[in-house]
Amino acid sequence: MSPSRARAAVEPTRQRTGVTRPPTAGPTHALLLLALTAGCRCGSDVSMLEQRFRLASPATLDFGRALEGTLVTRRVTLLAETRLGVSVSASATRPFGVEPLVDVPGGSEVDVEVSFLAGFGASMGELVLRSGPQEARVALSGVGVRKPACVPSGPCRLSEYSLELDRCVEAVAPDEARCEPDSQCLEQGRCRAGQCLGVARRCDDDDACTSDGCSSDAGCIHVRRTCPAPTAPCRVPTCDARTGCSEATAPDGTPCGRADCVSARVCASGQCVEVETPEGTECGPAVACFGVSRCRDKRCARPDAGAWEATWTARLDGAAPREARALVSFGATNSFTQCDLPLGGDAPGDGGAVDAGRDGGASDAGACALRSYTSTGFERFAEPIAPDERLLSVGVGGMLLLADGGVVFRTRALGRFVAGWETGALTRAQVASRSDGGVVLALSSDGGTRVVLASTAATEPLVTLAAPASHVAVDENDRVVVLGEGVVRRFSTEGDGGLVVEQASIGDAGFEGLALTQDTLVAGASLVRLWPDGGATVVTLAAPPSVTWRADDVLVTPSTVFLFFEACEVLTMSCLPSDTATWVRAYSRVTGAALWEDVLLPDGLEGALVGAAAVRLPGGLDSALAAVVQETRDGGAVRGGLVVTLDGGRLECPFPDGTGRVASSTFLPGQLVTLATQGDGGVVLQAWPLGALPLETSGWPQAGGLSSQRRATP
């Protein structure tokens, strides 16, 4: 037994026998008394022979709060009031327990151990102690506490429930603890000073015919090496895994010069000869819903459009995203926010539900979540978020969301909360990604615009403007470009931390749109070339009369500028707004000259331009465009599809009936991903094959790109 025993503040009143104990006799008197009483039968009321005990502890015992499933012990103290030992029986009501029999030596104290097996909630019980006719009772009480799930905010963080504080307490994981790095290019992750660090993954596949690299999302990547083409005709490059690139004789029939559907130069026995082109020779690749083009009657004939079937379809619970162009792609993933999800115990997927967790909250119509899917249709995660959070950007540094009065950083791997910064009330928010994982935010309010560099660690003010900025962007050298009040400002950081500011006046650009690539930006109908010394050259793009430019619809590639506008189908005539059509016009980025134009949505149709991407044609041209359009015809029928404008032709691939109203789209290598609301109110995420369509960009400039990123104003 422990030498430390709980004592009552006031001990129970001692029971008396009514017999006064004589003083202790000396040895001689004791022997004489023993001799005189030998053989004497004494009465049963002599106190020396009674077996009595006393409870030397309080009449109540509180076990306090204990975690569910744990066993807690407390002690009560029994005192034998006679020189004879006392046997005391003990019992307790569940969930309390005690040994059934306690022996207390005469004149001694004994601690009795009482246990409490904590359940969930408050428990009451009683301890009963008996010895013959004597009885003592002790009231027992305790509270079982169910331990909540404590999820750390990120790698190298530990989160444990504190019973004393009644909440989860987070701490930094000890150094050398195992962790999972965010990047797939790192392995053997170990925690150091709260950061998950790892060693570079070895991606060398020992194949001389591949170029080995690593993607933070996909891990090791092995790209087939392109061997240099031989200078001699009818020789072809070859590659051996051990020795590398070489060359060999080209197979007979290999093209070796000019070819069309009339004649072609091909190899025969190692020589380049001219032959008549056989009927049915392939003369164009398959594109979207169109199959391979083949020679027919000495002409290249493209087949009719076939049925365009989705590569995969993911049906989603909840409502369609509230913002336009909600899909944000990065690498091979597609992310978006969604609300009105059913509350439940499983993550949302095909018919699942979402828990409103630490970061999230339930709106009146259900929960909200940040969701992410792979390019093959598998859900990566569905992380609960607050109803006011909406996705702005996804980049190397993570995911950035805008909330009422602040911005929130979340991890790219699982969408977990990392950090948040207060911004105050905003009228407009714009974001651009940097190559180092940080972002640039232009936060406009009634008092002007604050431009800040932000990361998961902190925000650093860059500049404050007196008026709202039209837009913010980041160029290839991580320089920040801000357009506002007819002035272009470019900011860059020197090696010593100093800030270099370059600015140029461009006058009235016509509207607030901005797109940036390399050293060129587009603002309204103006093409602005930025020079290294901070100057600028402005070229006004030719526009027909009565044209309304679409401020948010600007697409810029290294050689071409695409502007979208509203005008009549006959551009030389004036017309009513109801008679206007949606057009696209391509301009040279170098000279500003108009290259071509096309109608995307004819007049008489209510429609929307959902997304677009530039297409690179053979020969290095990128003046072609792929656009996703959404039409509403007479009677309310909704039909959308892909329109590809190629030099000398136009391809249209309609979505199948039942696809619904496309709310957002994004272009990935080899596929178009759409988010649509169907006629029954259901929401679907679908991927459509693009075949050999050679995309130059990912569509509207968005997260991770070198162009500006846009979202609707809050």
Side-chain angles (χ1 to χ4, degrees), residues 75 152 328 448 527 672 711:
R75 294 182 177 87
V328 179
L527 182 69
L672 166 69
R711 284 291 180 267

Side-chain angles (χ1 to χ4, degrees), residues 15 50 75 111 414 565 657:
Q15 298 184 12
E50 291 182 350
R75 294 182 177 87
D111 286 340
L414 295 174
F565 58 93
D657 291 336

Side-chain angles (χ1 to χ4, degrees), residues 374-401:
T374 68
S375 60
T376 54
F378 289 97
E379 186 169 33
R380 299 175 63 236
F381 61 79
E383 179 69 10
I385 61 173
D388 60 349
E389 291 184 51
R390 57 191 181 87
L391 184 61
L392 285 180
S393 169
V394 181
V396 176
M399 312 179 83
L400 180 69
L401 293 89

Side-chain angles (χ1 to χ4, degrees), residues 77 80 124 137 213 257 269 286-287 383 441 460 484 495 539 560 577 635 663 665 671 681:
T77 303
M124 306 292 289
R137 294 177 179 268
S269 301
V287 173
E383 179 69 10
L441 289 168
E460 176 186 348
V539 176
T560 310
S665 68
Q671 68 178 4

